[in-house]
């Protein structure tokens, strides 16, 4: 099956080398792997004490340094360039060729697909089908090299999914259960769970620089939940000052500051992750929803869905994208959706030139020029949600729609 493919021999050594992990006693008859980018440039690995097995932090001031434009792994670069769009109400995935902006494939998945999530090793894309209102949830594996789906894996309520930065566990976000299920990242066999009873609508997460904790949003509780990812333990809750509706969360390049999109507060909260305190707020637009870093890690793209409602409306005139500069925490650009729209979830292209977002209530996908804000809307299925862009730069993925490091 797709999710059980493993690398061996020289290929494994090369992959570990690209991650900055030199395997002890590794032997191969093939020529030595090329030095990692940081070694070739003479950069010294940082002293950040990461959890065991996690690839080292190359630049402590920028955890996205290895996910910059041009840093696509060789095995990933050979995958076809595609945009995978899960459609919540039509129960399928549309596949867009980013070069032609045309839909080139379409296939059914499970009920209520929410997100397309790249695996930690970046070889499988998982459609999280949480089968809203039922117990028939599943994960559909998509081969990243062929773009074709495999047999679904039954999993309880997989609204979203993340991976611990050491690659040892997938974290299935069981939103309706107020629970995080730690699973084997290949077979999805259950390893253990963390209950978060005071976190209704638990859904999105950001990881600390060292991988020791993650902060999750509680969409229907106006608060955040902090989780010890090593000991699998709930550390506590933080109530946001405006009591809003937190959606996506993004770890800042420094790995310690966290940004939280809030759909009711119409902006982005700033948190100190280590102390778990709220430190600021940035107004953006109506229905603030998705957060994505630029490939040079200087800016954050903020999708403002244009409404405070969970469902609709179509063609909201308030739909827009804000651009925040990390260095100043200021909005430097705002791009309205022409004719109105509902920008939701997505990612940035490998070269950093396009921001791809689903138009949740308009049944389209937006391709947005990151220099000018010019947009193209591409019709897709019914209620597109957490799309991903492929291939992506980076050594490994921590999940969601492709947050890589």
């Amino acid at each position: 099956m797709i999710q059980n493919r493993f690398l061996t021999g020289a290929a494994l050594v090369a992959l570990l080398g690209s991650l900055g992990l030199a395997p002890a006693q590794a032997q191969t008859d093939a020529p030595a792997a090329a030095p990692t980018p940081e070694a070739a440039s003479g950069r010294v690995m940082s002293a950040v004490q990461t959890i065991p097995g996690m690839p080292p932090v190359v630049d402590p001031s920028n955890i996205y340094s290895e996910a910059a434009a041009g840093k696509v792994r060789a095995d990933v670069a050979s995958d076809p360039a595609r945009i995978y769009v899960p459609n919540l109400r039509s129960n399928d995935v549309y596949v867009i060729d980013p070069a032609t902006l045309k839909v080139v494939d379409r296939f059914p998945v499970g009920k209520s697909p929410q997100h397309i999530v790249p695996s930690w090793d970046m070889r499988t894309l998982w459609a999280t089908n949480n089968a809203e209102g039922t117990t028939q949830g599943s994960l559909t594996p998509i081969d990243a090299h062929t773009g074709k789906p495999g047999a679904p894996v039954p999993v309880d309520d997989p609204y979203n999914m993340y991976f611990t930065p050491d690659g040892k566990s997938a974290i299935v976000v069981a939103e309706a259960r107020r629970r995080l299920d730690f699973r084997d990242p290949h077979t999805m066999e259950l390893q253990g769970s963390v209950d978060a009873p005071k976190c209704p609508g638990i859904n999105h997460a950001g990881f600390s620089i060292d991988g020791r904790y993650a902060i999750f949003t509680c969409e229907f509780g106006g608060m955040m939940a902090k989780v010890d990812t090593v000991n699998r333990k709930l550390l506590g809750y933080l109530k946001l000052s405006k009591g809003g509706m937190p959606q996506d969360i993004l770890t800042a390049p420094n790995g310690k500051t966290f940004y939280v999109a809030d759909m009711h507060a119409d902006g982005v909260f700033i948190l100190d992750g280590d102390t778990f305190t709220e430190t600021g707020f940035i107004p953006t637009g109506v229905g603030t929803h998705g957060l994505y870093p630029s490939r040079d890690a200087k800016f954050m793209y903020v999708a403002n869905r244009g409404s405070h409602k969970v469902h609709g409306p179509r063609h909201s005139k308030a739909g827009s994208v804000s651009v925040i500069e990390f260095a100043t925490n200021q909005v430097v650009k705002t791009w309205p959706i022409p004719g109105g729209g509902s920008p939701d979830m997505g990612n940035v292209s490998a070269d950093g030139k396009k921001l791809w977002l689903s138009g949740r209530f308009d049944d389209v996908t937006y391709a947005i020029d990151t220099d000018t804000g010019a947009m193209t809307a591409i019709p897709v299925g019914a209620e597109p949600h957490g799309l991903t862009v492929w291939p992506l730069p980076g050594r490994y993925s921590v999940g969601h729609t492709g947050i890589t490091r």
Side-chain angles (χ1 to χ4, degrees):
M1 293 180 66
I2 292 174
Q3 66 269 25
N4 287 321
R5 295 183 304 166
F6 293 96
L7 297 174
T8 59
L12 177 59
V13 174
L15 175 58
L16 291 173
S18 72
L19 294 174
L21 299 172
Q25 307 301 321
Q27 296 181 0
T28 176
D29 294 330
T36 59
E38 57 269 18
S41 64
R43 297 168 71 181
V44 178
M45 290 296 183
S46 84
V48 174
Q49 296 298 307
T50 59
I51 58 177
M54 176 180 165
V57 177
V58 175
D59 182 354
S61 69
N62 179 16
I63 61 173
Y64 304 115
S65 65
E66 307 313 295
K71 292 190 175 183
V72 181
R73 278 176 16 200
D75 59 327
V76 174
S78 63
D79 295 341
R82 296 289 185 263
I83 313 300
Y84 294 89
V85 186
N87 299 292
L88 180 63
R89 287 189 292 108
S90 53
N91 301 320
D92 55 15
V93 172
Y94 274 51
V95 185
I96 298 171
D97 182 338
T100 64
L101 304 183
K102 302 292 185 182
V103 174
V104 295
D105 198 4
R106 173 186 176 185
F107 49 81
V109 288
K111 180 177 173 56
S112 308
Q114 300 281 0
H115 302 89
I116 303 295
V117 180
S119 61
W120 184 87
D121 62 10
M122 300 175 70
R123 302 317 307 133
T124 304
L125 309 177
W126 295 93
T128 63
N129 317 301
N130 76 327
E132 291 182 320
T134 77
T135 58
Q136 306 300 312
S138 66
L139 295 168
T140 301
I142 303 168
D143 188 318
H145 190 62
T146 66
K148 300 301 181 181
V153 181
V155 170
D156 185 30
D157 193 31
Y159 172 81
N160 205 347
M161 185 161 67
Y162 291 85
F163 294 86
T164 55
D166 58 9
K168 295 178 181 178
S169 301
I171 304 177
V172 170
V173 182
E175 181 188 50
R177 314 287 188 254
R178 303 189 188 190
R179 191 183 70 222
L180 303 174
D181 290 336
F182 287 71
R183 295 179 176 272
D184 181 280
H186 301 283
T187 67
M188 295 301 159
E189 181 179 355
L190 187 65
Q191 298 172 335
S193 297
V194 174
D195 290 316
K198 296 181 181 179
C199 187
I202 188 169
N203 50 33
H204 300 102
F207 290 84
S208 62
I209 190 170
D210 56 10
R212 297 185 184 280
Y213 67 81
I215 298 177
F216 285 80
T217 57
C218 308
E219 179 175 2
F220 304 117
M223 64 175 63
M224 314 299 293
K226 186 174 181 178
V227 174
D228 179 332
T229 56
V230 177
N231 300 301
R232 299 176 191 165
K233 178 181 178 182
L234 179 68
L235 297 176
Y237 300 98
L238 172 66
K239 183 71 173 178
L240 296 174
S241 62
K242 296 180 184 294
M245 194 177 204
Q247 304 292 315
D248 202 5
I249 178 172
L250 180 70
T251 311
N254 66 18
K256 298 180 180 180
T257 302
F258 292 74
Y259 294 92
V260 181
D262 194 293
M263 201 164 81
H264 281 180
D266 297 337
V268 177
F269 288 99
I270 306 173
L271 309 182
D272 182 300
D274 290 352
T275 62
F276 202 32
T277 55
E278 181 184 322
T279 61
F281 180 78
I282 308 169
T284 56
V286 177
T288 311
H289 200 79
L291 306 173
Y292 306 96
S294 62
R295 289 288 157 218
D296 59 8
K298 293 182 179 179
F299 303 99
M300 176 170 60
Y301 302 111
V302 182
N304 304 304
R305 209 160 70 177
S307 173
H308 296 151
K309 298 180 180 180
V310 175
H311 302 290
R314 294 173 66 86
H315 310 305
S316 169
K317 300 301 181 183
S320 68
V321 174
S322 300
V323 183
I324 292 175
E325 184 179 47
F326 282 121
T328 63
N329 284 334
Q330 298 294 314
V331 175
V332 294
K333 298 177 184 177
T334 298
W335 299 321
I337 305 295
S342 49
D344 195 284
M345 293 288 178
N347 211 330
V348 180
S349 61
D351 61 9
K353 295 181 179 180
K354 283 284 193 298
L355 170 65
W356 290 85
L357 296 172
S358 60
R360 181 78 176 265
F361 304 117
D362 296 276
D363 299 340
V364 298
T365 289
Y366 306 113
I368 305 171
D369 186 297
T370 54
D371 284 330
T372 66
M375 302 182 191
T376 300
I378 305 162
V380 289
E383 197 170 335
H385 193 191
L387 69 81
T388 199
V389 179
W390 204 255
L392 288 173
R395 297 169 297 167
Y396 64 97
S397 162
V398 294
H400 189 33
T401 56
I403 303 301
T404 60
R405 296 184 180 182

